[in-house]
Amino acid sequence: MKLYKRVPIRLVSGKGSRVKDAEGREYIDVLAGIAVNSLGHCHPAVVEAVREQAGRLIHCSNFYATEPQAKLAELLVTQSGLGKIFFCNSGAEAAEGALKLARKWGSKNGRGGGVITMDGSFHGRTLATIMATGQPKYRDGFDPLPSGFQTVPFNDLEAVKKAVTKDTCAVMVEPVQGEGGVRPASREYLEGLRRFCDEAGILLIFDEVQCGMGRTGFLFAYQGYGVTPDIVTLAKALGGGVPIGAVLARESVAEVFQPGNHGTTFGGNPLATAAARAAVTALIEEKLPERAREMGDYLVSSLQEATRGMEVIADIRGRGLMVGVELTIDGKPVVEKMLEKGVLGNCTAGKVMRFVPPLNISKADLDEVVRVFVESLRETIDG
């Protein structure tokens, strides 16, 4: 089905921060599968975990317990400090699971099922998650749509307070918006949301599908803000490239789910959880969240220096190795020129160049990326 505007290359292999196409040409990848390949391509620990598990047990059903799933659950619960976890297959499924959990909790606690989300947010492409997503373009042509969602301006605590009613069960927010243009929430905003949700008796959900797993400089993005939500969604980098999602929740919230309330056939299967355990362990042991902070600062300062005085630059922002450069012009031509020069990049929200490279990318590769970006930008401006 014609759902993707394909880039005119065919990728066949990858290692670290680089990939090769069918013609043998090499590229530096700063899109990293849309923030999935945080360990780079084909990290040895993930490759070995997949190879070993594939020879033992790939799938069995969640009617039965498996060792890889139990070990991954223990690792993530321990690292997060949250009490329970549910495994699924993707970010959209994680968001769906979080929304169902919040509504089930609301029904058990005398509240409605309304959820407040933010303008510019992105939570998935299912019918429910496009309603949670604060970008109307994703809803066009899909009526009738689920009800119970309201979007308010991002980073605006007062707007949330005004929107909450007795029918509201949760507030859902990305600590750093990805598809919305790499927009970080302020610390004051998230701290205020936590206090307000506690006072109002509603849940706080953090969508960390794109900004979690070390991307912003901490294993979980919320740890960098010092604000712990009631529910967290994960996916993308969680599996090191293998599809897996997860919903983490406080035990007092998770306990409202009972057998039959929710489920999945493939979610949390032995192959995916073995890969994810290897990926998360590598992130921790190789201190990649800490490296993301260091390299993120380096990338931002390099971009600022290289673009100084360029009127086409509206803003450079981000957290860790989740960096956005907002332009005053359409970014698509810049992405195309970068591709010609051997860098796989991306533009989101129309004018925001998004840099989400592997967390173990070298300084030399980042230097080359900055050089190619600025050169491509100048060529675009000059026509």
Side-chain angles (χ1 to χ4, degrees):
M1 297 185 188
K2 295 181 180 179
L3 291 168
Y4 305 99
K5 295 179 180 178
R6 302 277 192 187
V7 176
I9 59 173
R10 182 162 58 90
L11 300 180
V12 296
S13 65
K15 186 174 180 61
S17 60
R18 294 176 176 249
V19 292
K20 286 185 179 180
D21 67 14
E23 307 302 318
R25 189 177 182 200
E26 191 171 67
Y27 304 82
I28 300 173
D29 184 5
V30 291
L31 179 57
I34 316 180
V36 166
N37 298 311
S38 290
L39 293 170
H41 294 273
C42 297
H43 188 283
V46 177
V47 170
E48 182 55 35
V50 170
R51 180 183 290 117
E52 181 182 349
Q53 189 61 45
R56 299 178 64 189
L57 183 67
I58 295 176
H59 178 75
C60 63
S61 162
N62 282 305
F63 290 147
Y64 313 103
T66 66
E67 184 179 22
Q69 186 183 94
K71 287 185 173 181
L72 177 61
E74 181 181 31
L75 176 62
L76 291 171
V77 165
T78 300
Q79 290 293 324
S80 68
L82 296 171
K84 295 290 184 181
I85 193 165
F86 167 76
F87 292 115
C88 51
N89 303 287
S90 67
E93 286 186 36
E96 285 270 354
L99 292 169
K100 286 182 70 176
L101 177 57
R103 286 186 165 179
K104 190 72 174 178
W105 179 90
S107 72
K108 293 279 189 179
N109 286 274
R111 302 197 69 92
V115 178
I116 307 298
T117 62
M118 311 306 152
D119 288 339
S121 62
F122 184 86
H123 299 294
R125 293 179 182 270
T126 65
L127 288 176
T129 56
I130 61 174
M131 283 304 296
T133 291
Q135 300 186 57
K137 65 181 180 180
Y138 292 110
R139 303 172 202 150
D140 291 346
F142 296 113
D143 293 322
L145 291 164
S147 61
F149 297 93
Q150 182 179 354
T151 57
V152 300
F154 183 56
N155 264 328
D156 187 338
L157 180 59
E158 291 306 311
V160 174
K161 290 181 178 180
K162 290 176 182 177
V164 169
T165 71
K166 62 180 177 58
D167 292 322
T168 305
C169 66
V171 174
M172 189 174 191
V173 62
E174 297 159 276
V176 182
Q177 289 189 341
E179 304 307 313
V182 192
R183 296 197 294 165
S186 70
R187 177 181 289 270
E188 295 73 21
Y189 174 62
L190 295 186
E191 288 175 342
L193 280 179
R194 178 69 278 174
R195 287 193 299 271
F196 173 69
C197 287
D198 287 341
E199 292 166 2
I202 60 178
L203 301 179
L204 179 59
I205 305 170
F206 279 3
D207 183 333
E208 295 203 10
V209 167
Q210 187 166 154
C211 65
M213 292 291 97
R215 174 61 53 188
T216 63
F218 297 84
L219 188 61
F220 300 94
Y222 68 80
Q223 293 170 331
Y225 285 95
V227 177
T228 303
D230 300 296
I231 302 172
V232 178
T233 61
L234 302 172
K236 288 194 181 292
L238 177 58
V242 174
I244 184 172
V247 182
L248 278 160
R250 294 183 189 272
E251 195 148 359
S252 60
V253 175
E255 66 183 9
V256 303
F257 263 173
Q258 296 298 312
N261 288 163
H262 194 47
T264 171
T265 295
F266 290 106
N269 70 58
L271 187 68
T273 50
R277 180 167 175 256
V280 176
T281 300
L283 283 170
I284 296 168
E285 292 182 348
E286 296 176 24
K287 296 184 174 11
L288 292 182
E290 294 89 338
R291 193 171 190 280
R293 294 202 294 272
E294 175 191 345
M295 298 302 284
D297 289 344
Y298 180 76
L299 176 58
V300 167
S301 62
S302 298
L303 287 166
Q304 289 172 335
E305 180 64 28
T307 60
R308 196 178 307 281
M310 295 181 69
E311 294 182 359
V312 72
I313 303 295
D315 191 22
I316 299 176
R317 57 179 178 261
R319 287 178 73 91
L321 271 174
M322 189 173 183
V323 176
V325 179
E326 185 171 352
L327 309 177
T328 60
I329 60 173
D330 180 15
K332 183 180 177 182
V334 183
V335 173
E336 293 172 349
K337 290 185 180 297
M338 289 173 66
L339 177 68
E340 294 170 3
K341 300 174 188 295
V343 174
L344 302 185
N346 172 255
C347 179
T348 188
K351 297 181 179 180
V352 181
M353 300 297 295
R354 171 170 51 180
F355 297 87
V356 284
L359 306 187
N360 50 11
I361 190 171
S362 68
K363 278 190 175 181
D365 275 359
L366 281 183
D367 289 341
E368 176 65 5
V369 167
V370 172
R371 185 194 70 77
V372 167
F373 165 63
V374 175
E375 185 177 289
S376 300
L377 184 57
R378 292 190 187 279
E379 289 179 6
T380 301
I381 295 169
D382 294 340

